[in-house]
Amino acid sequence: MKKFLDLGLQPLANSYLDSKNLNYKEKKFRLVIGFNPKNYLVSILNTVPKEKMFNERYPYKSSESKTMKNSFKLLSQIIKKRFKPNLVLEIGSNDGAFIKNFRKNKIIGVEPCKNLAKITSKNGYKTFSEYWDISLAKKITKKRKIDLIYSANTLSHIKNFTEIFKAVKLSLSDRGILILEDPSLLECIKNVAYDQFYCEHIYVFSTIALQKILDQFGLEIFDIENTKTHGGSNRYFIKSKKNKFYKINKRLKKNINLERRKGLHKFYTYKKFAKKVATSKERLNKIFKTLRAKNKKIIGYGATAKSCTVLNYCKIGTEKIDFFYDTTSYKIGKFLPGSKIKIKNYRKLSVDEVDYVFLGAWNFKNEIFKKEHKFIKQGGKFITHIPVPKII
Ligand code: JHZ
């Protein structure tokens, strides 16, 4: 691995503090990102054990955003029409935003975070609250193979993908396919979205890297879609090389060519990215400093895992942002890790209360702007760091 970016000492992104442990010394790790010139993989170098992150206290719920619910609904319709699967399995089913679009006897969820698995089980969906691995795959597919495995924003969180892909291969039926959806490295570089890197995001994939990895397991991408979710993601349609039911779509070649043209196979591209990240930090701090000097009231919107990276890397704390609004019940009343900024129960924005709003959930900008159209009309402003720090 060749290092190209050091985002400093970081706490665990989803380890929100409560008033009792606010003054405890937080465990931190150094967030360093590297590039592997052999397989083009971009990953964080110091990883945190999965049990420390994905456990019964996991706060993130996919259903907190309309955008995600709609995206999953639309995808489920496409899946039913295009692939007509008899049995679907989702790895990382979270709170059920995807599986709830299927009949209960047609889908199985796998979700290691017990608090989330409880929600889907309670709603009548067969859910295994375990990490996806070979032994679980064997247990689930003893009687019946799976026609379609879907996994969104999960593969990027799993260090050992050998286990994952072996488990996938033994689970799929003859015409079975795997659909993976994860943030796109190309979009991450283009948007200078360095906050896609945090403890949970071990990898941010490019198509060229994923293709090389899949090849080791006799798997291949046969189609790809570029989606707008999570700041620009890729949806990869994957099959065993032996599966001849699907032809390789031209879109794949187009994506690969584009990634190569943009230099995702070259270390130089990542060095250039690192320079932009340093400039982004300077500019963002300048904006906060100028506004605070004018006594402007600034709050944050969406206490995301991504915000943790931005706030801790840029050293932004309570002296710059008064508090964050978030709709997630688990996060309300707690404090963001590292920066210790309080998270409050969301209230519609109003210029009587706030002047500037830092967009922690910049990936939901459209959804948020729609919701806050009155604030915008009144002259309220947002601060974003994507793609360059600015007031909008
Ligand atoms: P959001 C998490 O990252 C963690 P985060 C994880 N590692 C991952 O990969 C992605 O998700 C998928 C709130 N919100 O989706 C809800 C509002 O308050 O950008 C969430 O707390 N009001 C699994 O945390 C947060 O913002 C709103 O109107 O970076 C959004 O978090 C909306 C739309 C959201 O993911």
Side-chain angles (χ1 to χ4, degrees):
M1 292 301 282
K2 290 173 88 173
K3 286 183 208 169
F4 62 87
L5 182 61
D6 185 346
L7 294 170
L9 280 181
Q10 294 275 349
L12 301 194
N14 268 317
S15 290
Y16 298 88
L17 306 161
D18 53 35
S19 37
K20 273 183 267 151
N21 60 15
L22 194 58
N23 294 321
Y24 289 0
K25 201 166 182 247
E26 290 173 87
K27 284 222 168 74
K28 297 203 176 168
F29 75 105
R30 195 156 202 105
L31 183 55
V32 179
I33 298 124
F35 169 71
N36 182 333
K38 283 199 185 125
N39 61 9
Y40 312 143
L41 200 56
V42 167
S43 66
I44 65 171
L45 301 190
N46 307 314
T47 53
V48 173
K50 59 181 187 299
E51 295 79 7
K52 290 219 156 113
M53 301 183 284
F54 311 114
N55 50 41
E56 67 289 352
R57 294 179 304 279
Y58 197 68
Y60 179 76
K61 286 187 184 168
S62 310
S63 302
E64 289 297 328
S65 120
K66 265 193 197 152
T67 312
M68 289 317 293
K69 283 199 284 194
N70 290 344
S71 163
F72 288 134
K73 190 173 175 189
L74 197 68
L75 174 64
S76 68
Q77 287 161 355
I78 294 170
I79 284 177
K80 286 175 202 167
K81 219 170 149 194
R82 184 171 171 193
F83 301 107
K84 302 178 185 64
N86 284 319
L87 187 60
V88 178
L89 180 137
E90 187 185 16
I91 308 172
S93 47
N94 198 273
D95 64 348
F98 173 72
I99 64 175
K100 74 166 199 217
N101 297 295
F102 290 83
R103 293 226 308 266
K104 291 182 177 126
N105 60 343
K106 290 258 182 187
I107 193 156
I108 298 168
V110 173
E111 176 50 67
C113 304
K114 297 221 169 352
N115 56 327
L116 299 171
K118 231 184 224 167
I119 301 173
T120 48
S121 290
K122 228 179 176 174
N123 290 336
Y125 286 93
K126 178 102 194 136
T127 312
F128 290 84
S129 191
E130 292 173 48
Y131 293 102
W132 173 251
D133 59 17
I134 294 172
S135 85
L136 179 62
K138 281 185 181 160
K139 186 161 92 184
I140 295 178
T141 60
K142 218 190 241 163
K143 290 197 187 126
R144 220 172 136 196
K145 297 266 181 189
I146 315 284
D147 303 308
L148 193 141
I149 299 179
Y150 177 60
S151 192
N153 301 298
T154 307
L155 187 70
S156 48
H157 299 62
I158 303 172
K159 191 173 177 185
N160 178 4
F161 38 63
T162 301
E163 180 84 17
I164 301 302
F165 289 126
K166 282 189 176 163
V168 162
K169 262 196 102 174
L170 72 87
S171 302
L172 288 178
S173 61
D174 287 350
R175 26 174 352 137
I177 65 156
L178 164 70
I179 304 177
L180 292 175
E181 195 167 328
D182 282 284
S184 143
L185 183 61
L186 187 65
E187 291 298 318
C188 168
I189 299 284
K190 205 164 83 189
N191 291 326
V192 198
Y194 61 90
D195 53 352
Q196 290 287 12
F197 296 100
Y198 50 90
C199 54
E200 292 178 15
H201 278 185
I202 300 173
Y203 308 102
V204 178
F205 293 108
S206 60
T207 314
I208 51 174
L210 189 63
Q211 203 180 32
K212 278 196 182 273
I213 293 156
L214 291 168
D215 190 58
Q216 297 166 29
F217 303 96
L219 294 164
E220 63 185 359
I221 305 170
F222 67 93
D223 200 359
I224 182 170
E225 262 175 44
N226 310 120
T227 71
K228 291 209 158 53
T229 54
H230 291 298
S233 298
N234 283 334
R235 184 177 286 157
Y236 305 97
F237 297 79
I238 297 159
K239 65 176 187 65
S240 157
K241 286 187 179 175
K242 286 189 198 144
N243 177 345
K244 302 289 176 207
F245 290 102
Y246 305 100
K247 284 206 185 104
I248 303 210
N249 192 295
K250 276 187 207 140
R251 284 190 286 210
L252 177 64
K253 189 124 199 244
K254 233 169 126 184
N255 272 268
I256 287 173
N257 290 345
L258 180 64
E259 288 187 3
R260 286 194 163 264
R261 269 206 315 280
K262 298 286 177 190
L264 292 197
H265 57 310
K266 289 184 186 146
F267 185 57
Y268 166 74
T269 306
Y270 301 99
K271 293 285 281 179
K272 228 167 62 185
F273 171 69
K275 276 195 189 143
K276 287 188 186 164
V277 173
T279 311
S280 176
K281 174 182 180 173
E282 265 172 43
R283 288 196 187 160
L284 187 63
N285 270 311
K286 205 167 156 193
I287 291 176
F288 277 108
K289 217 173 142 191
T290 314
L291 294 177
R292 276 306 211 199
K294 292 182 192 160
N295 277 327
K296 298 292 179 194
K297 181 156 174 99
I298 310 173
I299 67 157
Y301 200 116
T304 58
K306 294 183 290 293
S307 302
C308 179
T309 297
V310 179
L311 300 173
N312 288 291
Y313 170 63
C314 298
K315 301 204 165 38
I316 293 168
T318 47
E319 73 298 342
K320 289 180 184 131
I321 297 180
D322 289 347
F323 61 85
F324 265 75
Y325 271 146
D326 200 288
T327 51
T328 316
S329 55
Y330 177 89
K331 296 183 185 177
I332 296 163
K334 295 202 167 59
F335 299 81
L336 274 142
S339 64
K340 300 187 175 174
I341 303 172
K342 183 145 191 178
I343 304 163
K344 290 192 181 179
N345 196 357
Y346 163 74
R347 288 221 324 240
K348 251 197 182 353
L349 298 176
S350 156
V351 285
D352 297 333
E353 285 180 80
V354 49
D355 303 307
Y356 291 83
V357 181
F358 172 68
L359 260 183
W362 56 267
N363 42 317
F364 295 120
K365 188 173 119 192
N366 292 346
E367 182 176 336
I368 293 169
F369 277 23
K370 219 186 240 172
K371 211 150 90 180
E372 308 302 342
H373 64 274
K374 272 200 185 136
F375 173 71
I376 295 170
K377 222 169 151 190
Q378 289 170 342
K381 298 277 181 210
F382 286 86
I383 303 168
T384 186
H385 61 292
I386 300 292
V388 285
K390 61 182 174 210
I391 293 168
I392 42 177

